[in-house]
Amino acid sequence: MTFKTLDSALLAGKRALVRVDFNVPMANGVVTDDTRLRAALPTIAKLRAGGAKVILLAHFDRPKGKRVPSMSLAPVVAPLAALIGAPVAFAEDCVGDTADAAVASMKGGDVLLLQNLRFHAGEEANDPAFAEALGRNGDLYVNDAFSAAHRAHASTEGLAHILPAYAGEAMRRELDALDAALGRPSKPVLGVVGGSKVSTKLDLLHNLILKLDVLAIGGGMANTFLFAQGWAVGASYCEPDLADTARGVMAFALKHKCELLLPIDVVVAERAAPGQAAFTRDLGEVDADERILDAGPRTVARLAAAMDGARTLIWNGPLGVFEIPPFDAATTAAARHAAALVKSGRLIAVAGGGDTVSALHHAGVANDFTFVSTAGGAFLEWMEGIPLPGVLALQVA
Ligand code: ADP
Ligand code: MG
């Protein structure tokens, strides 16, 4: 895939409509985590340095096409201005006279944030008239919100067909990282998929099997695979109805020459609660009242060896109930092993998924991976092999 980047854009005096993800955590009208604001800074800086007028488009929460005052983007203005080190103007509407007047008064290098796009039903409906109304205030369109790219909305897809469209700096970084992980990876490629459910990750497993040399399955979903192979899983989280499905995944992996690594030992306890007595068990030794809550040390050692033999790692889903120690042990050990390989230049490691990102922070290695995607749903759809409309729309024919 090829995209126009801001390196090739004429920026001086141009009105740049920039789609960002400012759907930030907020409590009582105060931004409590500015990660997403920071993510937009490289693009904003580049546009300002080139003399463009920076007009930021964003959604917040789910107002469902109505003006909901508690879902205003106004609380973002002050922390954003502090991060940029320059004033940020705000318009109470993203289209119409209010927006038009605010844009008309801008000078090169100015920054303006427009009110929540989703106050208008036309945004999520990808209504051409709404996209037109937004587009009237721009000379070029920049999409810097990979996390919203799985939605075909007016600001994530429609605008790309109206104005010359560019990938922003964060978008470009994310697309490059994902391409290095699954698009044109250095082989062998190892995947790690964990988390709770097989049911939500079936499409992802099938797509990965087509692209990976080795796939390690952990977490609650591994219990369903072990159950499908006839092992006792006691009182573990398990989806017995999906035993056939799990056997189908194993057959699919065999057919496509993707080696599957299932746990060879497990850590059990009677409950997933702090301070529980935990025991390592071989397969077949899990008692009826025990729950499998983590992978065992031999499983971790074998996964570490698989990492040693891989050039690329793609990871989604924790290997155990990492929120409750000691059931974080396998996830933390595996994450640290991967991080050490990245540091020594022997592995490209890309990870994503809400709980996976938390688990990597918990292990203290989130910054040591090659790339960690915070894009949530967009990341998972990309792992499923689904073309993302917001990315497709940026593609140069
Ligand atoms: P992500 O958000 O990264 O995509 P998931 O939401 O699929 O990951 O899975 C994360 C959840 O899986 C965590 O809450 C974790 O506690 C749970 N989990 C992992 N292993 C087990 C297990 N053996 N039994 C029950 N739940 C598990
Ligand atoms: Mg999750």
Side-chain angles (χ1 to χ4, degrees):
M1 288 213 190
T2 333
F3 310 93
K4 278 188 283 189
T5 67
L6 292 175
D7 295 329
S8 65
L10 286 173
L11 299 174
K14 298 281 197 247
R15 299 167 302 167
L17 287 174
V18 189
R19 179 57 156 102
V20 290
D21 181 358
F22 284 174
N23 198 21
V24 289
M26 229 188 263
N28 304 316
V30 176
V31 176
T32 55
D33 181 340
D34 64 3
T35 308
R36 286 180 162 168
L37 305 185
R38 290 177 187 276
L41 295 178
T43 293
I44 294 171
K46 192 152 191 160
L47 289 166
R48 292 185 72 222
K53 302 168 183 175
V54 183
I55 304 149
L56 302 170
L57 307 175
H59 78 273
F60 182 69
D61 214 332
R62 295 183 176 170
K64 301 254 166 76
K66 292 200 188 68
R67 180 167 279 273
V68 179
S70 64
M71 296 180 191
S72 169
L73 274 168
V76 165
V77 172
L80 181 63
L83 287 170
I84 297 175
V88 172
F90 183 68
E92 274 295 350
D93 203 350
C94 61
V95 289
D97 294 344
T98 312
D100 298 354
V103 173
S105 70
M106 293 176 83
K107 297 187 293 293
D110 285 355
V111 183
L112 166 69
L113 174 64
L114 300 181
Q115 183 56 286
N116 196 342
L117 293 157
R118 293 189 183 172
F119 282 2
H120 292 266
E123 162 65 358
E124 291 186 75
N126 200 1
D127 173 6
F130 180 71
E132 255 340 303
L134 287 173
R136 197 162 41 228
N137 283 320
D139 302 304
L140 56 103
Y141 165 70
V142 182
N143 191 348
D144 212 23
F146 177 83
S147 53
H150 57 317
R151 309 273 183 242
H153 294 169
S155 69
T156 62
E157 206 272 344
L159 270 178
H161 302 297
I162 296 177
L163 296 171
Y166 297 84
E169 298 297 289
M171 173 73 90
R172 163 158 71 168
R173 230 189 121 229
E174 181 120 20
L175 292 175
D176 284 349
L178 299 187
D179 199 46
L182 278 190
R184 288 167 299 177
S186 299
K187 291 194 146 244
V189 193
L190 165 68
V192 174
V193 178
S196 46
K197 294 183 177 180
V198 175
S199 45
T200 54
K201 294 198 176 168
L202 261 182
D203 292 339
L204 187 153
L205 290 172
H206 279 114
N207 184 48
L208 288 185
I209 284 168
L210 295 174
K211 304 198 166 155
L212 302 176
D213 300 294
V214 185
L215 171 60
I217 294 182
M221 72 160 65
N223 300 340
T224 302
F225 281 86
L226 295 177
F227 174 82
Q229 289 188 319
W231 297 109
V233 295
S236 299
Y237 179 84
C238 179
E239 294 164 288
D241 296 353
L242 292 182
D244 276 340
T245 306
R247 283 188 286 265
V249 170
M250 292 187 262
F252 192 70
L254 198 63
K255 182 175 164 204
H256 293 280
K257 299 190 168 53
C258 172
E259 185 189 353
L260 267 196
L261 299 180
L262 290 170
I264 48 177
D265 60 348
V266 293
V267 172
V268 302
E270 286 193 7
R271 283 187 311 125
Q276 286 288 304
F279 306 94
T280 299
R281 296 265 188 262
D282 285 332
L283 298 182
E285 292 186 345
V286 179
D287 289 340
D289 58 350
E290 291 177 334
R291 291 170 201 273
I292 300 171
L293 297 171
D294 200 11
R298 287 197 296 123
T299 301
V300 174
R302 196 186 46 160
L303 177 56
M307 288 177 184
D308 294 341
R311 297 294 310 281
T312 305
L313 169 69
I314 172 95
W315 184 342
N316 167 257
L319 301 176
V321 183
F322 75 98
E323 301 93 331
I324 307 172
F327 312 112
D328 57 341
T331 305
T332 295
R336 289 183 180 162
H337 191 83
L341 289 171
V342 173
K343 273 191 177 165
S344 68
R346 287 162 54 198
L347 185 72
I348 292 167
V350 173
D355 293 296
T356 307
V357 176
S358 305
L360 294 182
H361 279 292
H362 175 77
V365 296
N367 296 322
D368 298 329
F369 269 51
T370 314
F371 187 79
V372 175
S373 175
T374 54
F379 178 83
L380 290 173
E381 287 196 22
W382 166 80
M383 274 188 101
E384 290 168 13
I386 298 175
L388 308 181
V391 173
L392 281 183
L394 292 179
Q395 211 176 331
V396 180

